[in-house]
Amino acid sequence: MIDDRQRALLPNGLQDLLPPDAAFEAQTIERLMAHFAAEGYARVKPPLVEFEDSLLTGPGRLLAAQIFRVMDPVSQRMMGVRADMTPQLARIAATRLAHAARPLRLSYAGQVLRVRGGMLRPERQFAQVGIELIGAPEPTADAEVVRLAAEALTGIGVKGLTIDLNLPTMVDVVAEAFGLPTDQLGPLREALDRKDPTAVAELAGAAAPLYAGLLDAAGIAAEALARLDALELPAEARRLVAMVADVVRVIDLADLDAQVTIDPIEHRGLDYQTGVSFSLFAAGVRGELGSGGRYVAGADQNGGGEPATGFSLYMDSVLRAIDAPVRPRHLYLPFGCGPVAGRAFRADGWITVQGLAPETDPVAEARAQGCSHILRGADAIPLDAIDIRGA
């Protein structure tokens, strides 16, 4: 037989979210979604599971290794559990909302499941919250998305926010300009992600000095752009720098506790991104709070699609970056009070706990139920003010 300790075990990267954390997460999600709605982003709710061939089209095709698969017993078709919600919104925009006016602003919140976690984010299931802005190619669209992420996070109490802008295609653009073999690109990206100049020099050949310059360029946005301007970049790489410079120029974060940095060759595994991307960090918090950037929505093997940008927030990381709320006052209603007795208190923000059976010691029961007060007559009496003998 399986004992209780074995039943409590869960697979690596999965966890039970218990009180009060589950309620805290739900409340924080709704605060974020309300902020998105106030900025014109309409909420959609895609399914947790869908057919594999639709889940892996467009940006989703690059997430194939992260998707759990299951056979649908009804249709006998393979289905996948979503590992990221952005591909689903790209599908919705290209199909059910194909005739909606552009730019199209959508928001979402839901659980995602991945085959494996990473070193900084070992969690495999977590709540994902975000927005997508579809059909807008202008740098002002990128700026709107970045600012919305910053506003939403600082609005729920995140302090010391850093927005790290990246150019995920920069490595490939430079490699193509220098004619580097394609089989070297994987190891080269890994060396660049590790910030390992020795390995980069061994792998990049004639392009090594330029990659070293790109590594050194990372930093505060204004300083990074100055260092990038001083580099002898190929034409396409210069165009990428101009793109990120345009975004920096139109972002206005002066009223927020946030700073913008640039790392031109950071590559965080979202291979479907095609332009300026970004990651969100908070001082002293492990892992990314979220990430986003530009991609092509609705694209397939034949190309096509439309310009899009957006971001996803990872709620497990976000909750580590904000203070837990003050616990509401809990009032114990001894057996016999009736549910109406607590109505006025609930309207005033209290949480009431009703006694369901006669108590030999109502005060002790109130303490056991985690209450701070007990109803005596028409008044809420603090338990700390009552003698422990129940007098």
Side-chain angles (χ1 to χ4, degrees):
M1 294 181 63
I2 300 176
D3 62 28
D4 287 342
R5 289 174 299 177
Q6 291 174 303
R7 290 169 58 197
L9 290 176
L10 293 171
N12 288 339
L14 306 181
Q15 64 174 337
D16 295 314
L17 202 57
L18 304 178
D21 297 328
F24 181 34
E25 180 184 84
Q27 292 161 5
T28 305
I29 288 173
E30 289 312 310
R31 290 175 64 191
L32 291 167
M33 296 302 291
H35 189 101
F36 302 156
E39 295 274 356
Y41 286 79
R43 188 169 188 166
V44 296
K45 184 182 177 183
L48 179 64
V49 179
E50 58 180 271
F51 290 125
E52 181 185 36
D53 53 2
S54 64
L55 197 61
L56 298 181
T57 56
R61 69 185 183 278
L62 298 172
L63 296 169
Q66 283 283 29
I67 290 176
F68 282 88
R69 292 166 173 81
V70 61
M71 177 65 72
D72 179 13
V74 176
S75 66
Q76 296 298 301
R77 293 174 61 187
M78 190 64 71
M79 300 191 301
V81 181
R82 66 186 178 209
D84 185 270
M85 294 182 73
T86 295
Q88 292 186 299
L89 267 74
R91 172 185 58 77
I92 290 171
T95 55
R96 298 183 183 278
L97 296 178
H99 300 295
R102 267 44 176 179
L104 181 63
R105 291 176 168 88
L106 301 175
S107 65
Y108 59 87
Q111 296 286 317
V112 298
L113 179 65
R114 297 182 176 178
V115 169
R116 62 185 64 84
M119 291 186 64
L120 292 178
R121 301 202 69 261
E123 298 82 4
R124 293 195 289 165
Q125 179 184 343
F126 50 89
Q128 191 180 58
V129 178
I131 60 101
E132 306 299 336
L133 177 54
I134 298 169
E138 301 84 2
T140 49
D142 299 274
E144 175 174 306
V145 166
V146 172
R147 178 171 173 85
L148 183 54
E151 280 187 333
L153 289 172
T154 57
I156 61 172
V158 174
K159 298 179 177 63
L161 181 67
T162 295
I163 304 158
D164 189 33
L165 301 179
N166 315 124
L167 294 167
T169 60
M170 178 66 82
V171 174
D172 290 3
V173 164
V174 173
E176 182 177 356
F178 280 82
L180 296 182
T182 56
D183 59 358
Q184 288 185 211
L185 288 182
L188 177 58
R189 288 195 196 98
E190 293 176 5
L192 289 165
D193 286 344
R194 295 195 309 269
K195 315 300 184 191
D196 184 347
T198 302
V200 171
E202 294 175 355
L203 293 165
L210 181 51
Y211 281 122
L214 290 168
L215 279 172
D216 292 339
I220 301 298
E223 300 168 3
L225 287 173
R227 289 191 285 267
L228 288 168
D229 283 341
L231 296 175
E232 293 293 331
L233 294 170
E236 180 61 16
R238 180 64 61 190
R239 188 186 69 83
L240 294 176
V241 172
M243 285 170 50
V244 75
D246 284 343
V247 174
V248 171
R249 178 175 50 80
V250 294
I251 292 175
D252 181 6
L253 303 179
D255 58 326
L256 302 177
D257 179 20
Q259 71 170 354
V260 178
T261 61
I262 296 175
D263 187 339
I265 55 174
E266 181 64 52
H267 185 275
R268 300 185 187 278
L270 295 180
D271 294 323
Y272 59 77
Q273 291 180 339
T274 59
V276 176
S277 69
F278 62 96
S279 296
L280 302 154
F281 299 92
V285 178
R286 170 177 60 85
E288 299 168 306
L289 305 189
S291 62
R294 186 160 287 281
Y295 62 99
V296 178
D300 56 25
Q301 301 93 314
N302 300 318
E306 56 185 327
T309 184
F311 65 81
S312 295
L313 303 179
Y314 314 133
M315 291 309 300
D316 49 346
S317 297
V318 170
L319 295 183
R320 290 194 290 267
I322 59 179
D323 296 330
V326 176
R327 188 172 185 267
R329 297 168 296 177
H330 283 59
L331 174 64
Y332 186 72
L333 307 178
F335 179 76
C337 287
V340 176
R343 181 178 295 164
F345 290 98
R346 291 190 291 272
D348 196 34
W350 290 73
I351 292 175
T352 63
V353 179
Q354 177 71 56
L356 301 178
E359 310 95 342
T360 56
D361 186 345
V363 173
E365 183 64 19
R367 294 184 190 278
Q369 292 296 321
C371 294
S372 57
H373 294 67
I374 189 169
L375 188 65
R376 290 282 180 86
D379 298 321
I381 307 301
L383 296 182
D384 291 344
I386 301 175
D387 186 273
I388 196 161
R389 293 186 299 273

